[in-house]
Structures are given as structure tokens and as C-alpha cells.
Amino acid sequence: MQKLTVELGDRSYPIYIGAGLLKRTDLLPDFIKGKSVITVSNETVAPLYAETLNKSLEGFKASSVELPDGEVYKTLTVLDQIFTGMLENHCDRQTTLVALGGGVVGDMGGFAAASYQRGINFIQVPTTLLSMVDSSVGGKTGVNHPLGKNMIGAFHQPQCVVIDTETLDTLSDRELSAGIAEVLKYGFINDLKFLEWLEENMSLLLARDPEALAYAIYISCKHKAATVAADEREAGQRALLNLGHTFGHAIETGMGYGNWLHGEGVAAGTVMAAELSMKMGWISEADLSYVKHLFTLAKLPIEPPSELTADDYRLHMMRDKKTKDGVMNLILMHKLGECIQTSDYDAQAFQEVLERV
Amino acid sequence: MQKLTVELGDRSYPIYIGAGLLKRTDLLPDFIKGKSVITVSNETVAPLYAETLNKSLEGFKASSVELPDGEVYKTLTVLDQIFTGMLENHCDRQTTLVALGGGVVGDMGGFAAASYQRGINFIQVPTTLLSMVDSSVGGKTGVNHPLGKNMIGAFHQPQCVVIDTETLDTLSDRELSAGIAEVLKYGFINDLKFLEWLEENMSLLLARDPEALAYAIYISCKHKAATVAADEREAGQRALLNLGHTFGHAIETGMGYGNWLHGEGVAAGTVMAAELSMKMGWISEADLSYVKHLFTLAKLPIEPPSELTADDYRLHMMRDKKTKDGVMNLILMHKLGECIQTSDYDAQAFQEVLERV
């Protein structure tokens, strides 16, 4: 088992990474302060792992809420189902919520914990690669709105993150690839060496080699933890983690939640960001080609959907959380392996990227 | 104009109290950081005061959302209408939300500000006595759930609170009385002298004497600001502000939101808390009678509704936010003008209070 710490003063918390951690009944109880626990999971994950998890919760008053599975259910309406379950089971301010599942379960469980009785403790137990390397760490929680992804939410840090790499065995190939998009992201932002490692080891990752996966998760979480510790509320460098996300969210929202997986939108979106970066003269054609090559190796899309027009992108991107007083900020590649946040890009080049499809 | 400050370090903010403050166009702009503002109000208040408020917002990109009026609309579903309005009007993280209205508008507007893009600035402009003396100060925001009042929400402090006492001119007599319940509360908690002043000046308050109202609001806000500064997250003394609220919320929820006004529930609930305190031997029969006398002077109910059974109360009270690991904490009168939070009360006496009706 490996351990990382997200350093946030008195709100610091550990990330545990290892094979079979869900079976270890000594891990979770230390992070449960009160006498009761409620597990939030979904119809796909609960049948696979809830029973194992529950063995760690013996001695607590335990209850559970099971959500439908999919990004399309990451809504205020489904969030309300969590609150109903919590109230019916008499959860109080001392209850700890355990989010067992992928990014949707983690984001919604976290936001439910942030909002229930104005805030209770929670624990992240991510079961998809994407949630292990990104969404379960850092306290961003929330739900989507029909007009924009992740528009409603809260910063609310968990008590701990428990990553059992064995849960990846039941993940679909498509979901596994989607998670790799966020892993590659850390390389593009500021870790060229990691990018080279990923290129060399991509076939091992896709074959679910336990050691390769554990290493990729560890390095990703290390980057994420350092970024969150330096800039919890995204006043600056944390925004870099949104590489590919502004374009990607527009794809996800424009195509209807769940039709493109988040990681797929991020992949195509990162290629769009790289194209704009090339047009700005910041990266070379060879660099752009390398970006596409890596996503292709990971079996991820490098072309945005043909259904969306430039106006569709603009509409959704103007609602991006990085937009300030009407000015759209983008995360672009200043060079390969080094990203920046900027509003100082050529409007014509931007338009060309949006119109290319 | 009088000014109080809620001392919360770098999140400190002023409360301005005075007649005609809405007409002063120099007050609000100092508290708006970005270039855009969205006003959240309701169908009753907006026609009365939105135009006046808007004169302060010239030079900003201003938009508005109008909610239906009433506690029954303090729901996640109506909250979503605010988010839709914010997204349609391209509000971003720099937008300031102005909540113009009573407690429902302030609580929902505040929660929308807490959750929109994970948190934006907001300003409270309360227009009911109840929201002026209580809910607009201190950062408690949220919505109701069918199973419990204020169960979903966030702590989110405003940039400032602007109390224009002239807006009370359009308040109904019933709403005015409901507000006085929260004013009396401060006296019961720890200000016997204020209680005596209220007894002497109740008829002036009900006649909307501007000076009497301004004084009552000032003293109430002073108590509220001091309490919030000492205990923002309600780890201790802030809980005392819930005098009468545990019983009162049970009445409000049990009778259906909006049938009993919040202040009416608090009045009858405070009498129930006083009855239990008397049964515990902490206050005298004369004290209980004095409590009832004050609420009667304010034209508030001193009898709980006959429709609710002891089991109804228990069901709703067990969901109270002060319940810890199944133990129900109550705010009771240790003596007249001095309240305590305690779970150390006689179960039989408690049952008798619930069964009295």
C-alpha cells in the first residue's frame, strides 16, 4: 500500500493506493468520527463492492443509497434522492458519507456531504480509473445543469481517499481508456518524463497490468495532491488541471451528458487545445502529432464530434467557470509538457479550431 | 444610518441599518467586485423595490430572477430556477448575487451563491423584519426538504447586509409579528433588559414606529453578529439562536411549509421549550406566564397546533441538526433571560410537553 497526503493544514487527508484495500477492515473506521455511516453508490458498483465495503463498517449504524448509473443522472433531482435517503435513515451532522463508485458518485456524494445539514464528513472510495486519478482527490464536488457541466457544487474535502486498484478489474475497456485521458493530462501539464513513460507503457496499462496501473495512479495522484495543496480554490495553477476540459465540457454538454464519456471529451478537447497552441506557434506540428499519437495509443478520440458547430462551442464555453467578466480563459500548451492559463490567444486561430470539424 | 460589523477575519462584513437605504446609490457598488450582478427576488417584493435597487446597479451588467413567494417554494426545484437564470444570463464566478426579499429569498439566494460555480459573492437586502434581525446575518443558507426544514444548505457569508427599515411599511401585520418572535428570542437567550424594553415598546413596534423598529433591529443584529463572530459554524453558543426552533421546525414541517409562518412556529415552540424548562424547575410558573405574555403582546400564537401528535414531534425533532448520534439536544431556559443547550432533560417531562395539546 502506498500513501500520499493532500497537505491542507488541519484539513489535510491521506490517499491510500493499493490492491485489495477494500478488503482491509482496519482502514476506514479510523476516518469515521460519529456512530453512523451512509454509503452512496450506484446500481452497477454496489452489487460488486458494497458487501466487501460493509465488512469495514461493522459496529457502525450503516445505511445506503443506490443511484442510477451514468453522467445523465448527475443532477439536482437525483441529488435529492440522496438527501431523502439520508433523512429517512436519520443521518445527522456526525454521520460520515462514503462515496463508492466513479466520478459521478464521488461528485454527487461529495456535494451531498457538503450540503447535508450544511456539511458532514465524507470518504472517497473511487472505483474507476478516472475518479482515482482525478475527481476523488481535491474536494471539487457538484452536479451538472442542463446548461452547463459541474455548474452547481462546493469545495468540500474528504476525510480520506481509498483507492483499491483491484476494482479496476471490473471496469469496461472504454471507461479504462477514458481514465487514461486524465492520466495523460498530468504529463502534458508539467511532466514530460511521465508522458514518455506513458507512451512506453500504454499497452501494459490497457492490459490492466497491476504494477503499471498502480504507478500511473500514484504519479497522477501525486501531481493532483501537490496542485490542490498549492491552490485549493483554483485561484491560479489548479486551473491547469482543466486542460482540454473547456472544449471537452462543451462536447459533453453539447452532445448530451453520457454520450461522450468525460475522458473522451477531455481527449478530443486536449487535441483542440493543442491545435490552438500550434496555431499560436507555441508547439510544433510534431508536438501536436505526438499529442494525437498518445491519445490514439490510449484508444481515445482525437477528433471532436461533427455534430457541433463553432457557435455551439462558443455558447457552452462562455459558461465555463474560467470565464471572467465575459473573457474566456483557456488552458493551452506553451510548449510540450508545459501548460499555461491564458486569455491572450488569437481570436481568428480560436475560430479556426472551432470551425475545423 | 447605523453600522455593525460581523467580525470574521478576512470574511468580515458590515450590516447597514437605516431608513431609505435602498435609495442610496452609493452603498451597494462598493461591495460588487466584478462587472455583473444578478438580483434574486420574488413576485411580491420585486414589483415594490427592484426598480429602486436597480438605480444602484447602473454601470453593471444586471439581470434578475423572480421566484414565487412563500416557504413552500424553498425547495431544490425552485433553487434550480435560480441556476437556470444565472446560466442564461451568463453569470460567472465574478458575478455578485443580490438577494432582495425575506428569509426564503435570502436563504435560497445565499445557497445559490454558495453553490453556483462552487461559490460566488452575494449581498443580502432583507425586506422582512424576520430576515433583517436573523436570517440575513450569519451566512446560514439553504432550502427545505419535504422531510425536514433547512436540511440542505451551506455556510456562506455575504459581502454586506443592507437593511432599509422603510421596506417594512409594505409588510403584512402577520409577517411583522412573525419577525418579532425572533427579536424576542435575543432577549430570552441573554438580554433581560432588552426583553423589558420589548414589553414596554411592543405597541410601538406593532404600530411600525420607525425609531422603535430601528432600535429593535439594531439590538437584534448586534446580538446576532456577536454570536456569529464567536461561533460561525455553530460548534457551541450559536446553537442558542435555535431557541424554539426545534419545536418550531417540527410544527412548520408537520403542518406543511407555509401554513405556519416561521416566526409563528418559533413563538409556539419557545413556549414549549419554556414549559419543559419549568417542568425541570429551571424557570418559575410566573416566568412561563411572562414568556406567553410577551408573545401574546406581539400577537403571536402560544399554543402549538392541535393536529400534531407527540409522535409527529418526535419524528421531526429527531431530524433536527442538533441531534447527535441519536441524542436530541434542545435549547432550554436555564433561567429567564439565560438559555442553554442540553440533552440533560427529563424524558417524562419532555413527553408531557409533547402530549399537552
Short mmCIF file of all heavy atoms in Angstrom, two decimals, chain A residues 235-283:
data_model
loop_
_atom_site.label_atom_id
_atom_site.label_comp_id
_atom_site.label_asym_id
_atom_site.label_seq_id
_atom_site.Cartn_x
_atom_site.Cartn_y
_atom_site.Cartn_z
N ALA A 235 -7.40 29.54 -7.56
CA ALA A 235 -7.10 30.94 -7.85
C ALA A 235 -6.06 31.04 -8.96
O ALA A 235 -5.92 32.07 -9.60
CB ALA A 235 -6.59 31.64 -6.59
N GLY A 236 -5.32 29.97 -9.18
CA GLY A 236 -4.26 30.01 -10.20
C GLY A 236 -3.95 28.66 -10.81
O GLY A 236 -4.69 28.16 -11.64
N GLN A 237 -2.86 28.02 -10.30
CA GLN A 237 -2.34 26.84 -11.00
C GLN A 237 -3.30 25.66 -11.08
O GLN A 237 -3.20 24.85 -11.99
CB GLN A 237 -1.00 26.40 -10.37
CG GLN A 237 -1.14 25.65 -9.06
CD GLN A 237 0.18 25.03 -8.61
OE1 GLN A 237 1.03 25.68 -8.01
NE2 GLN A 237 0.38 23.75 -8.90
N ARG A 238 -4.25 25.55 -10.13
CA ARG A 238 -5.18 24.43 -10.20
C ARG A 238 -5.97 24.45 -11.50
O ARG A 238 -6.41 23.41 -11.99
CB ARG A 238 -6.12 24.42 -8.99
CG ARG A 238 -7.05 23.23 -8.99
CD ARG A 238 -7.77 22.98 -7.68
NE ARG A 238 -8.59 21.79 -7.78
CZ ARG A 238 -9.24 21.22 -6.77
NH1 ARG A 238 -9.14 21.73 -5.57
NH2 ARG A 238 -9.97 20.14 -6.97
N ALA A 239 -6.16 25.65 -12.04
CA ALA A 239 -6.91 25.77 -13.30
C ALA A 239 -6.25 24.97 -14.42
O ALA A 239 -6.92 24.53 -15.35
CB ALA A 239 -7.04 27.24 -13.70
N LEU A 240 -4.92 24.76 -14.32
CA LEU A 240 -4.23 24.00 -15.38
C LEU A 240 -4.79 22.59 -15.51
O LEU A 240 -4.73 21.99 -16.58
CB LEU A 240 -2.72 23.94 -15.09
CG LEU A 240 -1.99 25.29 -15.04
CD1 LEU A 240 -0.50 25.06 -14.77
CD2 LEU A 240 -2.18 26.06 -16.34
N LEU A 241 -5.33 22.05 -14.40
CA LEU A 241 -5.90 20.71 -14.44
C LEU A 241 -7.11 20.65 -15.38
O LEU A 241 -7.63 19.58 -15.66
CB LEU A 241 -6.31 20.26 -13.04
CG LEU A 241 -5.19 20.15 -11.99
CD1 LEU A 241 -5.75 19.76 -10.64
CD2 LEU A 241 -4.15 19.12 -12.44
N ASN A 242 -7.56 21.82 -15.82
CA ASN A 242 -8.68 21.86 -16.75
C ASN A 242 -8.24 21.78 -18.21
O ASN A 242 -9.03 22.04 -19.11
CB ASN A 242 -9.50 23.14 -16.53
CG ASN A 242 -10.32 23.06 -15.26
OD1 ASN A 242 -11.09 22.13 -15.08
ND2 ASN A 242 -10.14 24.03 -14.39
N LEU A 243 -6.97 21.43 -18.44
CA LEU A 243 -6.52 21.24 -19.83
C LEU A 243 -7.50 20.33 -20.57
O LEU A 243 -7.81 19.23 -20.12
CB LEU A 243 -5.13 20.58 -19.84
CG LEU A 243 -4.62 20.15 -21.22
CD1 LEU A 243 -4.41 21.35 -22.14
CD2 LEU A 243 -3.33 19.33 -21.11
N GLY A 244 -7.97 20.81 -21.71
CA GLY A 244 -8.89 20.01 -22.52
C GLY A 244 -10.32 20.01 -22.03
O GLY A 244 -11.23 19.56 -22.73
N HIS A 245 -10.55 20.54 -20.82
CA HIS A 245 -11.88 20.45 -20.21
C HIS A 245 -12.85 21.49 -20.73
O HIS A 245 -14.05 21.26 -20.76
CB HIS A 245 -11.77 20.57 -18.69
CG HIS A 245 -11.27 19.32 -18.03
ND1 HIS A 245 -10.04 18.76 -18.32
CD2 HIS A 245 -11.84 18.49 -17.10
CE1 HIS A 245 -9.88 17.66 -17.59
NE2 HIS A 245 -10.94 17.48 -16.84
N THR A 246 -12.34 22.68 -21.10
CA THR A 246 -13.26 23.73 -21.58
C THR A 246 -13.87 23.28 -22.91
O THR A 246 -15.10 23.32 -23.09
CB THR A 246 -12.52 25.06 -21.72
OG1 THR A 246 -11.85 25.34 -20.49
CG2 THR A 246 -13.50 26.20 -22.00
N PHE A 247 -13.01 22.81 -23.83
CA PHE A 247 -13.53 22.21 -25.06
C PHE A 247 -14.32 20.93 -24.74
O PHE A 247 -15.39 20.69 -25.28
CB PHE A 247 -12.36 21.86 -26.01
CG PHE A 247 -11.58 23.03 -26.52
CD1 PHE A 247 -10.39 23.41 -25.92
CD2 PHE A 247 -12.04 23.76 -27.62
CE1 PHE A 247 -9.66 24.49 -26.40
CE2 PHE A 247 -11.29 24.86 -28.11
CZ PHE A 247 -10.11 25.21 -27.49
N GLY A 248 -13.76 20.13 -23.84
CA GLY A 248 -14.35 18.82 -23.52
C GLY A 248 -15.74 18.95 -22.90
O GLY A 248 -16.66 18.20 -23.26
N HIS A 249 -15.91 19.89 -21.98
CA HIS A 249 -17.23 20.10 -21.37
C HIS A 249 -18.24 20.53 -22.43
O HIS A 249 -19.41 20.14 -22.38
CB HIS A 249 -17.15 21.16 -20.27
CG HIS A 249 -16.53 20.67 -19.00
ND1 HIS A 249 -16.21 21.52 -17.96
CD2 HIS A 249 -16.16 19.44 -18.60
CE1 HIS A 249 -15.68 20.81 -16.97
NE2 HIS A 249 -15.63 19.55 -17.34
N ALA A 250 -17.78 21.36 -23.37
CA ALA A 250 -18.69 21.79 -24.45
C ALA A 250 -19.14 20.57 -25.26
O ALA A 250 -20.31 20.46 -25.64
CB ALA A 250 -17.99 22.81 -25.35
N ILE A 251 -18.22 19.65 -25.51
CA ILE A 251 -18.58 18.42 -26.23
C ILE A 251 -19.57 17.60 -25.41
O ILE A 251 -20.62 17.19 -25.91
CB ILE A 251 -17.31 17.57 -26.54
CG1 ILE A 251 -16.40 18.34 -27.52
CG2 ILE A 251 -17.70 16.21 -27.10
CD1 ILE A 251 -15.05 17.68 -27.76
N GLU A 252 -19.22 17.39 -24.12
CA GLU A 252 -20.11 16.59 -23.26
C GLU A 252 -21.51 17.18 -23.16
O GLU A 252 -22.51 16.48 -23.27
CB GLU A 252 -19.53 16.50 -21.85
CG GLU A 252 -18.44 15.48 -21.66
CD GLU A 252 -18.03 15.46 -20.19
OE1 GLU A 252 -18.66 14.73 -19.41
OE2 GLU A 252 -17.10 16.19 -19.81
N THR A 253 -21.56 18.50 -22.91
CA THR A 253 -22.86 19.15 -22.74
C THR A 253 -23.60 19.20 -24.08
O THR A 253 -24.78 18.88 -24.15
CB THR A 253 -22.67 20.59 -22.19
OG1 THR A 253 -21.83 20.54 -21.05
CG2 THR A 253 -24.01 21.21 -21.81
N GLY A 254 -22.87 19.58 -25.13
CA GLY A 254 -23.49 19.73 -26.45
C GLY A 254 -24.01 18.42 -27.01
O GLY A 254 -25.03 18.39 -27.70
N MET A 255 -23.32 17.33 -26.71
CA MET A 255 -23.73 16.02 -27.24
C MET A 255 -24.73 15.33 -26.34
O MET A 255 -25.25 14.26 -26.68
CB MET A 255 -22.50 15.12 -27.42
CG MET A 255 -21.50 15.62 -28.45
SD MET A 255 -22.25 15.75 -30.09
CE MET A 255 -22.38 14.00 -30.51
N GLY A 256 -25.03 15.91 -25.19
CA GLY A 256 -25.93 15.27 -24.22
C GLY A 256 -25.11 14.44 -23.26
O GLY A 256 -24.33 13.59 -23.67
N TYR A 257 -25.27 14.71 -21.95
CA TYR A 257 -24.46 14.04 -20.95
C TYR A 257 -24.50 12.53 -21.11
O TYR A 257 -25.55 11.94 -21.26
CB TYR A 257 -24.93 14.41 -19.54
CG TYR A 257 -24.73 15.87 -19.21
CD1 TYR A 257 -25.77 16.64 -18.76
CD2 TYR A 257 -23.49 16.47 -19.38
CE1 TYR A 257 -25.59 17.99 -18.45
CE2 TYR A 257 -23.30 17.80 -19.08
CZ TYR A 257 -24.36 18.56 -18.62
OH TYR A 257 -24.18 19.87 -18.33
N GLY A 258 -23.33 11.90 -21.09
CA GLY A 258 -23.24 10.45 -21.10
C GLY A 258 -22.97 9.87 -22.48
O GLY A 258 -22.53 8.73 -22.59
N ASN A 259 -23.22 10.64 -23.53
CA ASN A 259 -22.95 10.11 -24.87
C ASN A 259 -21.45 10.10 -25.15
O ASN A 259 -20.94 9.14 -25.74
CB ASN A 259 -23.71 10.92 -25.91
CG ASN A 259 -25.21 10.70 -25.78
OD1 ASN A 259 -25.66 9.56 -25.67
ND2 ASN A 259 -25.98 11.78 -25.74
N TRP A 260 -20.79 11.15 -24.77
CA TRP A 260 -19.33 11.13 -24.74
C TRP A 260 -18.94 10.99 -23.28
O TRP A 260 -19.38 11.77 -22.43
CB TRP A 260 -18.76 12.45 -25.30
CG TRP A 260 -18.64 12.46 -26.79
CD1 TRP A 260 -19.64 12.26 -27.69
CD2 TRP A 260 -17.44 12.67 -27.55
NE1 TRP A 260 -19.15 12.33 -28.98
CE2 TRP A 260 -17.80 12.59 -28.91
CE3 TRP A 260 -16.11 12.92 -27.22
CZ2 TRP A 260 -16.87 12.75 -29.94
CZ3 TRP A 260 -15.19 13.09 -28.24
CH2 TRP A 260 -15.56 12.99 -29.59
N LEU A 261 -18.08 10.03 -22.97
CA LEU A 261 -17.56 9.95 -21.60
C LEU A 261 -16.69 11.18 -21.33
O LEU A 261 -16.10 11.75 -22.25
CB LEU A 261 -16.72 8.67 -21.42
CG LEU A 261 -17.48 7.35 -21.50
CD1 LEU A 261 -16.51 6.18 -21.27
CD2 LEU A 261 -18.61 7.30 -20.48
N HIS A 262 -16.61 11.54 -20.05
CA HIS A 262 -15.83 12.73 -19.68
C HIS A 262 -14.40 12.64 -20.24
O HIS A 262 -13.90 13.58 -20.85
CB HIS A 262 -15.81 12.87 -18.16
CG HIS A 262 -14.96 14.01 -17.67
ND1 HIS A 262 -15.23 15.32 -17.99
CD2 HIS A 262 -13.85 14.03 -16.89
CE1 HIS A 262 -14.32 16.10 -17.43
NE2 HIS A 262 -13.48 15.35 -16.76
N GLY A 263 -13.76 11.50 -20.05
CA GLY A 263 -12.38 11.35 -20.51
C GLY A 263 -12.27 11.46 -22.02
O GLY A 263 -11.25 11.93 -22.55
N GLU A 264 -13.30 11.02 -22.73
CA GLU A 264 -13.29 11.13 -24.19
C GLU A 264 -13.38 12.59 -24.62
O GLU A 264 -12.67 13.03 -25.53
CB GLU A 264 -14.45 10.32 -24.78
CG GLU A 264 -14.27 8.81 -24.55
CD GLU A 264 -15.51 7.98 -24.85
OE1 GLU A 264 -16.61 8.57 -25.02
OE2 GLU A 264 -15.40 6.74 -24.89
N GLY A 265 -14.23 13.35 -23.93
CA GLY A 265 -14.32 14.78 -24.21
C GLY A 265 -13.00 15.48 -23.91
O GLY A 265 -12.56 16.36 -24.66
N VAL A 266 -12.36 15.07 -22.82
CA VAL A 266 -11.08 15.67 -22.44
C VAL A 266 -10.02 15.35 -23.50
O VAL A 266 -9.21 16.22 -23.87
CB VAL A 266 -10.63 15.16 -21.05
CG1 VAL A 266 -9.17 15.53 -20.77
CG2 VAL A 266 -11.54 15.74 -19.97
N ALA A 267 -10.03 14.13 -24.04
CA ALA A 267 -9.05 13.75 -25.07
C ALA A 267 -9.21 14.62 -26.32
O ALA A 267 -8.27 15.30 -26.75
CB ALA A 267 -9.21 12.27 -25.42
N ALA A 268 -10.42 14.63 -26.87
CA ALA A 268 -10.66 15.44 -28.07
C ALA A 268 -10.44 16.92 -27.76
O ALA A 268 -9.90 17.68 -28.59
CB ALA A 268 -12.07 15.21 -28.60
N GLY A 269 -10.83 17.34 -26.55
CA GLY A 269 -10.66 18.74 -26.16
C GLY A 269 -9.20 19.12 -26.02
O GLY A 269 -8.80 20.25 -26.36
N THR A 270 -8.40 18.21 -25.53
CA THR A 270 -6.96 18.49 -25.40
C THR A 270 -6.31 18.62 -26.78
O THR A 270 -5.44 19.47 -26.99
CB THR A 270 -6.27 17.37 -24.57
OG1 THR A 270 -6.88 17.32 -23.28
CG2 THR A 270 -4.78 17.63 -24.41
N VAL A 271 -6.77 17.80 -27.71
CA VAL A 271 -6.26 17.93 -29.08
C VAL A 271 -6.63 19.32 -29.65
O VAL A 271 -5.80 19.97 -30.29
CB VAL A 271 -6.81 16.80 -29.98
CG1 VAL A 271 -6.42 17.04 -31.44
CG2 VAL A 271 -6.28 15.45 -29.51
N MET A 272 -7.84 19.77 -29.37
CA MET A 272 -8.25 21.10 -29.84
C MET A 272 -7.37 22.19 -29.19
O MET A 272 -6.94 23.15 -29.86
CB MET A 272 -9.72 21.35 -29.53
CG MET A 272 -10.66 20.44 -30.31
SD MET A 272 -12.40 20.60 -29.81
CE MET A 272 -12.92 22.01 -30.82
N ALA A 273 -7.11 22.04 -27.89
CA ALA A 273 -6.23 23.00 -27.21
C ALA A 273 -4.83 22.97 -27.80
O ALA A 273 -4.18 24.01 -27.97
CB ALA A 273 -6.19 22.68 -25.71
N ALA A 274 -4.38 21.76 -28.16
CA ALA A 274 -3.04 21.62 -28.75
C ALA A 274 -3.01 22.27 -30.14
O ALA A 274 -2.02 22.90 -30.53
CB ALA A 274 -2.66 20.14 -28.83
N GLU A 275 -4.11 22.11 -30.89
CA GLU A 275 -4.18 22.73 -32.23
C GLU A 275 -4.08 24.25 -32.12
O GLU A 275 -3.36 24.90 -32.88
CB GLU A 275 -5.50 22.35 -32.92
CG GLU A 275 -5.45 20.94 -33.49
CD GLU A 275 -6.80 20.44 -33.98
OE1 GLU A 275 -7.82 21.16 -33.77
OE2 GLU A 275 -6.84 19.34 -34.55
N LEU A 276 -4.83 24.82 -31.17
CA LEU A 276 -4.76 26.27 -30.98
C LEU A 276 -3.34 26.68 -30.56
O LEU A 276 -2.81 27.69 -31.03
CB LEU A 276 -5.81 26.71 -29.95
CG LEU A 276 -5.88 28.20 -29.61
CD1 LEU A 276 -5.96 29.08 -30.86
CD2 LEU A 276 -7.07 28.50 -28.68
N SER A 277 -2.73 25.87 -29.69
CA SER A 277 -1.37 26.16 -29.23
C SER A 277 -0.39 26.14 -30.41
O SER A 277 0.53 26.96 -30.48
CB SER A 277 -0.93 25.12 -28.18
OG SER A 277 -1.87 25.07 -27.12
N MET A 278 -0.61 25.21 -31.34
CA MET A 278 0.25 25.15 -32.52
C MET A 278 0.04 26.37 -33.40
O MET A 278 1.00 26.99 -33.89
CB MET A 278 -0.01 23.87 -33.31
CG MET A 278 1.04 23.61 -34.39
SD MET A 278 0.45 22.44 -35.63
CE MET A 278 -0.73 23.44 -36.53
N LYS A 279 -1.21 26.74 -33.59
CA LYS A 279 -1.52 27.94 -34.40
C LYS A 279 -0.90 29.18 -33.79
O LYS A 279 -0.58 30.15 -34.49
CB LYS A 279 -3.04 28.12 -34.54
CG LYS A 279 -3.68 27.14 -35.53
CD LYS A 279 -5.20 27.34 -35.56
CE LYS A 279 -5.87 26.21 -36.34
NZ LYS A 279 -5.60 26.28 -37.79
N MET A 280 -0.75 29.19 -32.46
CA MET A 280 -0.11 30.32 -31.79
C MET A 280 1.41 30.23 -31.89
O MET A 280 2.13 31.14 -31.45
CB MET A 280 -0.51 30.35 -30.30
CG MET A 280 -1.98 30.63 -30.03
SD MET A 280 -2.52 32.22 -30.72
CE MET A 280 -1.55 33.36 -29.74
N GLY A 281 1.91 29.13 -32.44
CA GLY A 281 3.36 28.97 -32.60
C GLY A 281 4.06 28.49 -31.35
O GLY A 281 5.28 28.55 -31.24
N TRP A 282 3.27 28.02 -30.37
CA TRP A 282 3.86 27.62 -29.09
C TRP A 282 4.38 26.18 -29.12
O TRP A 282 5.33 25.86 -28.45
CB TRP A 282 2.85 27.81 -27.94
CG TRP A 282 2.45 29.25 -27.74
CD1 TRP A 282 3.15 30.35 -28.14
CD2 TRP A 282 1.26 29.72 -27.12
NE1 TRP A 282 2.47 31.50 -27.79
CE2 TRP A 282 1.30 31.14 -27.16
CE3 TRP A 282 0.16 29.11 -26.51
CZ2 TRP A 282 0.29 31.94 -26.63
CZ3 TRP A 282 -0.84 29.90 -25.98
CH2 TRP A 282 -0.76 31.30 -26.05
N ILE A 283 3.66 25.32 -29.84
CA ILE A 283 4.16 23.95 -30.01
C ILE A 283 4.26 23.68 -31.52
O ILE A 283 3.65 24.38 -32.33
CB ILE A 283 3.27 22.89 -29.32
CG1 ILE A 283 1.87 22.82 -29.96
CG2 ILE A 283 3.14 23.16 -27.83
CD1 ILE A 283 1.02 21.63 -29.51
#
